[in-house]
Each structure stands twice: as C-alpha cells, then as structure tokens.
Amino acid sequence: MIAFGCGPLQAGAALDAAWEGGIRHFDTAPSYGDGVAEELLGRAVHRWPDVRVSTKVGRVRMAVADPYGDPDGPRREPLFDFRAEAVRASVLRSRSRLRRLDTVLVHDPDAAVDLVLEETLPALRELRDEGVLRAIGVGTTSVATARRLVPHVDVVMIAGAWSLTRREAAPLLDECLDAGVEVLAAAPFDSGLLATDSPAADARYLYRAASAEVVELARRMADVCRDHGVSLPQAALWFPLRHPAVSTVVAGMRTAAEVHRNLRLMARPVPEALWPDLLP
C-alpha cells in the first residue's frame, strides 16, 4: 500500500488525484508548511469516506519551511514541545484543521525520549481511550529512538532508514513484527536521489546535496534495474514492502503528476529476480 505524504504538498489537486487513484491514507504534521498542509488536507478529506488520516505532535516547527527546497537555503531554529498539555492542545488543533483524525505520531522525539515516555505517550493514550484517536505511535529517522518506543506504541513510522540505500532499520522492523506494531516506511526516494531513473550530480539525498559516491551508487542501482526491465523509482517504492512488518510506504508528493507517476509504479510489481542482483 502507498500513502500520501503531505510534507511537500503544494495544492489540493494532488490530494484529489491521490483519492481518485485509490490512495486512502494521508499523512501530515502541523509543522509541514507551518500548518498549511493540515489545512489543505482538511479541505479535501471531509469529502471522502473510508480514509485514514495521520498527523504528528511534538515538533512545532521545522528547521526549514520547505525541507524539499533549496538545501543551502535559510534555516531557522526548530521548535519542539512534548509536554502533555502541549500535546493535547496540538491534537485538538490538528483535528479542527483536518476535520478527522485517526493516528497521531510523536514527531522526532530523539532528544526527549524520557519526557515522551513520562508525558507525551500517556496524554496520547488518554486521547485514544476517549475516542479522539484510534492509534498512537512515533515518527522518526532514528532507529534507536523507534526501538526504545516499540513497546509503548501501535505504529512506527521510520524515515530515511529503510530504503534501497539505507537498511539499518532491519532490526527495528523485526522487533515490530514480533510485537505486532504496524510499520510505515517513509521517504522511499531518499528525499530525491531515487526519484529518477538517471540520478543527477546535484541530486538531493536526505534533504541535503548528495555526495558523488552516493550518486554513483544510485546510478549503478539504476543500471541493474534497467537490466530487469524496472525503473529505479519503481524499485525504490516496492523495496520497503518486502519486509512483512511494513504495511505502507509513505511517499511525499507535491503535484498531481507525481501522484499519477507513483500510482503507475505501484501498479507494476517488481520481479523477484531483481532483488538478489540489486541488493547483494
């Protein structure tokens, strides 16, 4: 299954294209566009039945307004607030914007795990018990953080650690499978590097400029994919789902054209013979 990641969302037309194409899970956060992504999603989602909406708490502001923009652009101090009262207020604001809410993830709590265990997660559990939420979890790029929180959550979203070039999340996924915790694998394109069949020298990688070595690795992977009649972006989307703990791959999408392309890629399964050659 593929979910729509609202981090780079630019217009409601992309959301409409996703819904019409069969996408039924939309993931956002109040820090994406400083609330704009939630507002755009809220205008669309109230028209749709049978849809899952996930958002986040704790990260109030991103270090950049658009993490998919200029990697050398101006940066700002990121803001976090994992206190129980702030978490409850954030959930209620998000639900007001979104008009519905199913899952809430603690957003990048890597420097505040003790506080998250003491205040954030108990507050979210109360909201779940009250029927405000259906599921609670953590969303992070840190495998260590996610592993520490697995016993306390329903869902783990891991970003930038389970992709064609980055597979350090394997022990986390095994633990989630054993614990019955759902896994959402985010950032399958490594923030741009794997989104094209011909990775450019100035490609983005984990929201930064890619090194020459990483670009060369992606180009070699693209060659292997071509030998099997597969594109690099197609393999990048399908790879995370190879682990049985992963229910969904979450891909950030800006436009309707990107939505249509990703849906076409997901409609074409990757031949099993590719993987031994691509991932020795």
Side-chain angles (χ1 to χ4, degrees), residues 183-266:
V183 176
L184 311 175
F189 298 128
D190 288 336
S191 74
L193 177 71
L194 306 179
T196 172
D197 214 24
S198 300
D202 60 350
R204 301 289 303 283
Y205 184 63
L206 305 179
Y207 309 110
R208 299 284 187 177
S211 68
E213 292 78 10
V214 168
V215 171
E216 179 56 30
L217 170 63
R219 288 173 174 171
R220 291 198 302 270
M221 286 183 162
D223 290 340
V224 174
C225 287
R226 287 190 200 98
D227 290 343
H228 287 267
V230 172
S231 72
L232 181 61
Q234 182 186 0
L237 278 177
W238 276 95
F239 166 75
L241 296 167
R242 286 178 54 75
H243 196 287
V246 178
S247 69
T248 305
V249 58
V250 183
M253 301 180 229
R254 288 180 182 265
T255 65
E258 289 184 359
V259 172
H260 293 313
R261 186 202 69 155
N262 289 341
L263 288 171
R264 286 195 300 270
L265 294 175
M266 290 300 292

Side-chain angles (χ1 to χ4, degrees), residues 5-10 28-37 56 59 61-76 78 107-108 141 159 187 189-193 203-209 252-254:
C6 292
L9 178 61
Q10 291 183 333
T28 187
S31 58
Y32 294 165
D34 299 332
V36 172
K56 304 178 183 72
R59 184 156 198 158
R61 189 173 72 184
M62 303 293 284
V64 291
D66 178 9
Y68 294 80
D70 182 358
D72 299 316
R75 301 182 71 81
R76 60 190 184 180
H107 198 178
D108 292 338
T141 60
F189 298 128
D190 288 336
S191 74
L193 177 71
R204 301 289 303 283
Y205 184 63
L206 305 179
Y207 309 110
R208 299 284 187 177
M253 301 180 229
R254 288 180 182 265

Side-chain angles (χ1 to χ4, degrees), residues 4-7 26-30 32 37-38 41 53-56 98:
F4 188 110
C6 292
F26 296 81
D27 176 73
T28 187
Y32 294 165
E38 282 193 337
L41 181 57
V53 175
S54 55
T55 193
K56 304 178 183 72
L98 292 165

Side-chain angles (χ1 to χ4, degrees), residues 123-136 154:
L124 291 177
R125 279 193 289 270
E126 288 178 1
L127 289 165
R128 185 183 58 189
D129 293 343
E130 293 166 10
V132 176
L133 313 172
R134 295 183 186 176
I136 63 175
D154 308 309

Side-chain angles (χ1 to χ4, degrees), residues 11 28 47 63 90 104 121 129 138 190 211 264 270:
T28 187
R47 299 182 275 117
S90 178
V104 170
L121 288 174
D129 293 343
V138 58
D190 288 336
S211 68
R264 286 195 300 270
V270 171

Side-chain angles (χ1 to χ4, degrees), residues 1 7 24 29 45 60 65 82 96 120 133 152 209-210 214 222 238 253:
M1 178 188 297
R24 294 295 182 265
V45 77
V60 179
F82 297 101
S96 176
T120 311
L133 313 172
H152 308 280
V214 168
W238 276 95
M253 301 180 229

